[in-house]
């Protein structure tokens, strides 16, 4: 209808024409009338058709674009009423007109933005009208409906604000929600308009829009669900992102927010995240992990329960290959532990793995997660047995992972500084070393960071839960934290030590507490920590004293010369981390002190021995204020702060010590109030308290110099507890060392009691007891060490009488000692045993000896052996048979009875006792033992119940006096022991009754049958017999053959096949141990053959782990005993090589420790003899030097049963592993290591044949291959190839190596597969056996000869020289070190 066609337009009654020529004011008045009229019209079907032209007229573009804002608003209200009146059939049909009208209405709705606008009511009416009629539903038919809706939604979200009432927001929601719920489609653009408002930054910046969007999502959830699911499918599964949609970039944030607003819309979306968790793209996995960690860990979240499969997939990401993903998972562990009790087990299991993660960052986050959880709710951590254990383990965090581990290793470190330093010069060399240094220090710093956080976390937990008055019950079991923190002082890093000192003062014994409370905490801590922690605490105090002394010395050096000053500055810097860097700041502090007298005064006040804790804290605070800003970049401030933490005394002063001594005095007096207050028994509080005072008297003697404290200490000297006065006297002694009490106290102080206890007649003759009287102090220390103030005749009489009553189970003793009689008897006898060794002469009194002899009648079988041992030690001082004949007559029959019919221990000790106490009475001794042997001969049959005791007694008799009964014993050994016992099985296995399974490889001795036990003692008896004979070569050879047979036949000498495996294991172990024992004795011990030596070595690889372990212990004891003449020959060090293939980690580590101990013991002995000098000392070296282990390991490895072919790489790798097991401690931890010596040694071995099978080509090739492997190892592991002098020339033992028939034979061929060959160093000019060169490898390998694969060249000097000492089994080389080997 035309713009000016007014004649056909009908107006409601009272309304005037609306034309274009009206003035704005008039137009507004007429529109108001029209709007009011339309507002009053109802919705009657078919009515008001005559006003359709009017409706079309007011929708004309002229009015829609009218310049007046009020006109536009009134037109919008009229159009809204038209839409209401004519609903559902609006008069507007043209799609373009409809689109323009609704865009016009949207623009008008923008007026809702300001509720204070005078026209706001009309805007509100417009909104209400549109909402009531759902006018925007007309747009569903338009093609551009989504465009209109997007503009409407954007407008609503942009204008909603805090000033809008709930009604306005409700109508906005009513306008928007039908457009979703009643629409056939919701476009992604519209979703973007809605969902953008629930994401950042809109979520924070436009909170009303966010709330409107949330309400809209909740109201339209059912409709939106498929569209949201479709969007996520498009993005997550298909991976297609629409760049024009802002939500495409924030998919995971959107899922998180939707899960909060309306979880139901995500029911089909969340399972899709499992695919993202397993994506090959790290960023996708990271995003999904971050999202799920937040969603799963939130309080009241049930996602993990409802989506079990997704939870399992999420847990798998704790093991993700990506470090940042593992870190993210661990970071959320704290939220899981706090918010989800049902998930704690799963999280604990994953943390158990991650606490050993190769990345320091992950291990650090594990510590932080657990510590934070404990700080918030300790009950959670207390419920788990593992969580605090994880933190406890991380306090020792040392792991170096991946490439860093290789970089930090000693050898590579040296190579970087050596080879790389030579190859890379100038700036590049500095860059390499600089970068590597920064990487290493960075990683090491991270590892300290982990230890630091673990220690700090534990300390904070302890402080929070244990230093409060009301300690929760579940926190009492964390008292171990005190021990763990103090154990950190054993770490070698200075950072760790400083941390422990800080934690002691801030958490374990907080310095802010009042003196009485602080001392109670200190006493509680010291009384309940373990021994190692106590030592650490003492060391901590001693170190702080040392730092204070150094700093005090520095402050007193105002006139010192530069060299002296530099030395003192360096001494102070040594007590801080990285002394070289720190020294710069200590120098700066010195300059600062020189110019600032106030700062110097503060330092002197802090270091004053009489400064109180409060004064120290105040001084430190003032000092720090003068050092600049407390920021990380102020290294000067941080360095001096560390120094102040070490030197300031914030724990103990006069007031604190007064409280502590009073507390300890009450504990000594058994005051129940103290016991309740400290939560400790009074005896422990007293003992530990006195020990604590002893430590503090050394560290802070000045604070003890007050009359009230010393009066308290002296009063303790009257204690009825005999252990108290010695400790108190020690405390007063340390106080007196600082300043003698005679020179300090007023006359009223009771000095006489103290002087009487400290001064003896001897000390009075040595001058004044002052610090400058060094003679007095030296002799006083000597007297303290040599004077016997514990044991004498009277004391021992009381002690033995008391122990006798305990043995006789006298209840009086039990009550008196507060110990059960059995324990009192056992420990008492053990005490007497120790005292008999230290003070044997005090036992030489008839009453004491009579008491001891009377104990031999005890019915307790364990008492006589101990008593006999005691009497034996007494007899070594002076034989009882000579001193007390009457007692001897009582002792002999008892010992005879024990030797014949007692237990094995009783028989053993009875023989020893008789031998020692009658050694000077030869005829009587012979008569006693003749009688015993006669009785023993009758009992050497299995029918006798005393067969085993008889064998043991006989063994000890022939060991002690072998020459007295030579023929008799030889016949007994030959017939009874060997033929009737060892060479015959007299009882079938079925006749033995044991509770062990016959298939078990090992059982304890109690479970063995009697015959096997007797056989074991028979083998030991033969060993003792030979040790007594010393030089009976023929008997030794026969015995070795028999023992070797036991080992070869695995314990079943007769090969019956009926013996249980555990009995066979015991027998072959006994045979091996006997061989080792015999070999310790020069003469008979040298009679074993190379074959027997090889067979014996197999016990270290025995199939039974107990045999391997026990044999290794016997081997170690034999090698460590009486170097050089009373121990096993050096040959047996070669056995250790076989431990290189030990699969049991514990056994392998134990054997390695034994080997290193044996190596170190020999090195120490070598140092001692070489210092004394002389040709004889140098001649001993080949028989002692542990470097010769390699020579004896070669034949052992050559004949190893598992080594059959020199072409089998796996076998050769095993042999190389064995070689490295012994070479590692010889090469890597040996300052005297000489490459030239090892090179010559290996080359000489390779120029020999195997002595056991000299004509067997396979065996020789195996031996040479072992030599090649050894050469390869020393080449690859050696850092310096310097051919320096070595204290001994290489010698090859002819017992295991036979010289080649051709004297000019030189073996330079490699017998290894190509992959195991090692390339010789480029600068090496000498030919190395078994080594290839990159340039001429073909030529070397191709130079083979029929004589064992070597080449014939004339050596520079003949290698023929043998030693006359057969025990050495060596041949020596007379050539100089620089001439050994082929030219």
């Amino acid at each position: 209808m035309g713009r000016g066609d007014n004649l056909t337009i009908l107006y409601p009654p009272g309304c005037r024409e609306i034309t274009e020529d009206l003035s704005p004011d008039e137009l507004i008045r007429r529109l108001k009338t029209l709007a009011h009229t339309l507002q009053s019209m109802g919705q009657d079907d078919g009515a008001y058709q005559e006003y359709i032209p009017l409706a079309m007229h007011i929708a004309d573009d002229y009015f829609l674009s009218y310049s007046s804002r009020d006109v536009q608003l009134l037109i919008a209200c009229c159009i809204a009423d038209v839409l209401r009146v004519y609903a559902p059939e609006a008069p507007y049909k043209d799609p373009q007109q409809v689109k323009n009208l609704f865009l016009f209405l949207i623009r008008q709705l923008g007026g809702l933005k300001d509720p204070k606008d005078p026209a706001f009511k009309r805007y509100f009416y417009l909104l209400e009208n549109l909402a009531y009629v759902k006018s925007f539903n007309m747009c569903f038919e338009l093609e551009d409906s989504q465009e209109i809706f997007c503009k409407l939604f954007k407008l609503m979200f942009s204008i909603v604000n805090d000033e809008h009432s709930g009604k306005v927001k409700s109508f906005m929601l009513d306008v928007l929600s039908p457009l979703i719920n009643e629409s056939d489609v919701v476009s992604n653009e519209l979703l973007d308009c809605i969902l953008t408002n629930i994401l950042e930054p809109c979520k924070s910046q436009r909170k009303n829009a966010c709330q409107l969007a949330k309400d809209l999502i909740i109201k339209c959830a059912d409709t939106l669900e498929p569209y949201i699911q479709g969007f996520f499918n498009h993005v997550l599964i298909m991976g297609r992102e629409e760049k024009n949609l802002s939500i495409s970039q924030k998919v995971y944030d959107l899922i998180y927010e939707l899960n909060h607003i309306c979880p139901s819309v995500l029911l089909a979306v969340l399972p899709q995240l499992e695919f993202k968790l397993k994506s090959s793209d790290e960023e996708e996995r990271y995003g999904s992990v971050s999202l799920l960690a937040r969603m799963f860990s939130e309080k009241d979240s049930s996602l993990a329960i409802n989506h079990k499969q997704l939870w399992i997939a999420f847990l798998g990401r704790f093991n993700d290959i990506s470090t940042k993903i593992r870190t993210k998972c661990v970071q959320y562990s704290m939220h899981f532990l706090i918010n989800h009790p049902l998930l704690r087990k799963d999280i604990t299991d994953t943390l158990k793995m991650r606490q050993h993660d190769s990345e320091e960052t992950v291990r650090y986050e594990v510590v932080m997660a657990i510590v934070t959880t404990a700080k918030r709710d300790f009950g959670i951590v207390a419920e788990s047995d593992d969580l605090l254990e994880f933190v406890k383990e991380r306090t020792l965090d040392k792991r170096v992972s991946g490439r860093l581990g290789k970089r930090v290793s000693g050898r590579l470190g040296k190579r970087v500084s050596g080879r790389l330093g030579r190859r890379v010069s100038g700036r590049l060399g500095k860059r390499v070393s600089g970068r590597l240094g920064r990487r290493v220090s960075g990683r090491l710093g991270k590892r300290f960071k982990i230890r630091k956080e673990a220690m700090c976390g534990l300390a904070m937990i302890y402080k929070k839960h244990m230093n409060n008055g009301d300690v929760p019950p579940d926190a009492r079991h964390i008292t171990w934290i005190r021990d763990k923190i103090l154990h950190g002082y054993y770490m070698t890093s200075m950072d760790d030590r400083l941390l422990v000192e800080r934690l002691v003062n801030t958490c374990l014994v907080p310095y802010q507490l009042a003196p009485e409370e602080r001392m109670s905490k200190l006493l509680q801590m010291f009384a309940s920590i373990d021994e190692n922690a106590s030592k650490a605490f003492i060391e901590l105090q001693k170190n702080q004293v040392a730092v204070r002394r150094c700093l005090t010395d520095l402050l007193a050096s105002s006139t010192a010369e530069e060299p002296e000053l530099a030395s003192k500055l360096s001494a102070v810097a040594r007590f801080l981390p990285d002394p070289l860097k720190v020294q710069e700041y200590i120098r700066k502090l010195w300059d600062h002190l020189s110019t600032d007298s106030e700062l110097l005064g503060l330092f002197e006040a802090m270091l004053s021995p009489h400064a109180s804790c409060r004064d120290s804290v105040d001084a430190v605070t003032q000092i720090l204020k003068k050092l600049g800003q407390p920021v990380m970049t102020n290294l000067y401030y941080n360095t001096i702060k560390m120094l102040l933490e070490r030197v300031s005394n914030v724990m103990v002063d006069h007031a604190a010590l007064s409280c502590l001594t009073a507390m300890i005095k009450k504990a000594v007096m058994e005051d129940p109030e103290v016991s309740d207050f400290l939560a400790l028994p009074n005896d422990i509080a007293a003992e530990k308290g006195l020990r604590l005072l002893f430590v503090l008297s050394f560290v802070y003697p000045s604070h003890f110099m007050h009359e009230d404290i010393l009066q308290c200490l002296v009063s303790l000297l009257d204690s009825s507890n005999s252990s108290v006065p010695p400790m108190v006297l020690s405390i007063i002694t340390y106080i007196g060392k600082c300043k003698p009490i005679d020179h300090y106290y007023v006359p009223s102080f009771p000095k006489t009691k103290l002087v009487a206890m400290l001064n003896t007649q001897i000390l009075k003759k040595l001058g004044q007891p002052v610090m400058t009287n060094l003679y007095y102090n030296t002799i006083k220390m000597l007297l303290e060490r040599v004077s016997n103030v514990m044991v004498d005749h009277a004391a021992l009489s009381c002690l033995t009488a008391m122990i006798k009553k305990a043995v006789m189970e006298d209840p009086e003793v039990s009550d008196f000692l507060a110990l059960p009689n059995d324990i009192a008897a056992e420990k008492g006898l053990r005490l007497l045993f120790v005292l008999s060794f230290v003070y044997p002469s005090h036992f030489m009194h008839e009453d004491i000896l009579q008491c001891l002899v009377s104990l031999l009648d005890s019915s307790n079988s364990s008492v006589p052996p101990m008593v006999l041992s005691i009497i034996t030690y007494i007899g070594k001082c002076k034989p009882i048979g000579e001193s007390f004949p009457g007692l001897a007559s009582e002792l002999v029959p008892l010992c005879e009875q024990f030797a014949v019919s007692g237990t094995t221990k009783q028989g053993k000790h009875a023989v020893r006792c008789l031998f020692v106490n009658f050694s000077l009475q030869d005829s009587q001794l012979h008569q006693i033992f003749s009688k015993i042997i006669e009785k023993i001969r009758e009992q050497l049959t299995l029918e006798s119940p005393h067969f085993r005791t008889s064998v043991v007694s006989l063994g000890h008799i022939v060991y002690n006096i072998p020459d007295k009964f030579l023929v008799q014993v030889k016949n007994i050994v030959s017939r009874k022991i060997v033929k009737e016992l060892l060479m015959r099985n007299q009882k079938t296995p079925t006749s033995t009754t044991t509770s062990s399974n016959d298939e078990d490889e090992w059982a304890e001795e109690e479970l063995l049958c009697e015959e096997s036990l007797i056989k074991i003692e028979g083998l030991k008896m033969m060993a003792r017999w030979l040790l007594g004979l010393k030089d009976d070569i023929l008997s030794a050879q026969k015995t070795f053959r028999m023992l070797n047979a036991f080992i070869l036949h695995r314990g079943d000498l007769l090969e019956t096949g009926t013996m249980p495996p555990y009995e066979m294991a015991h027998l072959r172990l006994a045979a091996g141990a006997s061989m080792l024992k015999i070999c310790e004795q020069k003469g008979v011990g040298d009679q074993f053959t190379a074959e027997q030596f090889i067979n014996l070595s197999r016990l270290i690889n025995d199939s039974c782990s107990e045999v391997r372990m026990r044999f290794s212990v016997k081997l170690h004891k034999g090698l460590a005993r009486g170097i050089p003449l009373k121990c096993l020959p050096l040959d047996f060090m070669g056995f250790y090589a076989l431990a290189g293939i030990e699969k049991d980690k514990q056994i392998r580590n134990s054997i390695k420790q034994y080997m290193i101990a044996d190596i170190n013991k020999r090195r120490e002995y070598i140092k001692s003899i070489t210092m004394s000098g002389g040709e004889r000392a140098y001649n001993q070296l080949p028989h002692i030097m542990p470097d010769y282990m390699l020579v004896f390991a070669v034949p052992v490895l050559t004949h190893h049963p598992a080594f059959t072919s020199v072409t089998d790489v796996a076998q050769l790798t095993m042999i190389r592993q064995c070689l490295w097991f012994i070479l590692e401690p010889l090469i890597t931890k040996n300052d005297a290591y000489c490459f030239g010596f090892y090179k010559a040694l290996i080359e000489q071995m390779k120029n020999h044949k195997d002595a056991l099978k000299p004509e067997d080509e396979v065996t020789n090739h195996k031996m040479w291959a072992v030599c090649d492997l050894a050469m390869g190892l020393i080449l690859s592991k050696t850092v310096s190839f310097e051919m320096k002098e070595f204290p001994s020339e290489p010698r090859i033992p002819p017992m295991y190596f036979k010289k080649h028939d051709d004297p000019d034979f030189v073996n330079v061929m490699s017998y290894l597969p190509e992959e195991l060959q090692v390339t010789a160093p480029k600068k090496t000019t000498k030919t190395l056996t078994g080594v290839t060169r990159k340039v001429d490898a073909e030529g070397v390998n191709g130079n083979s000869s029929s004589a064992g694969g070597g080449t014939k060249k004339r050596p520079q000097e003949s290698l023929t020289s043998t030693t006359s000492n057969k025990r050495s089994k060596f041949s020596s080389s007379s050539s100089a070190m620089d001439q050994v080997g082929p030219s």
Side-chain angles (χ1 to χ4, degrees), residues 72 303 488 571 581 619 787 791 1015 1103 1136 1253 1307:
Q72 289 189 12
L303 279 179
K581 290 184 179 178
S787 58
V791 173
K1015 285 185 177 182
S1103 59
Y1136 281 132
K1253 298 179 180 179
N1307 192 352

Side-chain angles (χ1 to χ4, degrees), residues 686-698:
E687 178 196 348
K688 297 289 187 178
L690 289 170
R691 189 177 175 194
L692 175 61
L693 283 178
F694 177 72
V695 175
L696 297 179
S697 67
F698 171 79

Side-chain angles (χ1 to χ4, degrees), residues 921-938:
Q921 297 160 295
D922 194 55
S923 59
Q924 187 178 357
L925 186 66
H926 186 275
Q927 183 183 353
I928 294 169
F929 283 137
S930 296
K931 186 177 178 182
I932 293 173
I933 289 176
E934 285 302 318
K935 291 181 180 179
I936 285 176
R937 290 184 66 176
E938 298 171 5

Side-chain angles (χ1 to χ4, degrees), residues 635-785:
L635 298 181
Y636 174 51
Y637 177 95
N638 292 320
T639 301
I640 305 307
K641 182 172 179 286
M642 283 192 293
L643 178 63
L644 293 174
E645 286 176 349
R646 297 211 74 178
V647 300
S648 59
N649 169 28
V650 295
M651 181 183 289
V652 173
D653 56 10
H654 173 213
L657 282 175
S658 296
C659 298
L660 183 61
T661 50
M663 208 179 300
I664 293 169
K665 182 177 179 180
K666 288 182 179 180
V668 172
M669 297 170 66
E670 300 185 357
D671 188 334
E673 180 186 343
V674 176
S675 177
D676 297 337
F677 179 67
L678 294 176
L680 287 169
N682 273 317
D683 56 344
I684 295 178
E687 178 196 348
K688 297 289 187 178
L690 289 170
R691 189 177 175 194
L692 175 61
L693 283 178
F694 177 72
V695 175
L696 297 179
S697 67
F698 171 79
V699 182
Y700 309 105
S702 300
H703 290 304
F704 282 82
M705 289 185 172
H706 297 273
E707 190 165 352
D708 58 336
I709 296 175
L710 279 164
Q711 184 68 55
C712 182
L713 288 173
V714 171
S715 68
L716 291 176
L717 294 172
D718 292 325
S719 172
S720 59
N721 185 340
S722 60
S723 64
V724 171
M727 282 298 291
V728 175
L729 291 171
S730 300
I731 294 165
I732 297 174
T733 302
Y734 269 124
I735 299 169
K737 284 183 178 180
C738 176
K739 191 170 186 181
I741 294 171
D742 277 341
H743 299 170
Y744 186 81
Y745 290 104
V746 295
S748 62
F749 187 79
K751 301 186 291 292
T752 54
K753 185 184 297 184
L754 181 62
V755 172
M757 291 187 175
L758 290 175
N759 292 333
T760 63
Q761 293 300 316
I762 297 176
L763 291 176
K764 286 179 180 179
K765 295 180 180 291
L766 303 180
Q768 290 297 316
V770 292
M771 293 296 292
T772 53
N773 189 345
L774 298 182
Y775 173 54
Y776 176 94
N777 292 321
T778 302
I779 304 306
K780 181 174 178 288
M781 284 191 293
L782 178 64
L783 291 174
E784 287 173 348
R785 297 212 70 181

Side-chain angles (χ1 to χ4, degrees), residues 261 323 565 581 695 758 871 1129 1260 1300 1341 1348:
I261 297 166
T323 301
L565 177 62
K581 290 184 179 178
V695 175
L758 290 175
I871 297 174
N1260 286 326
H1300 201 277
N1341 286 332

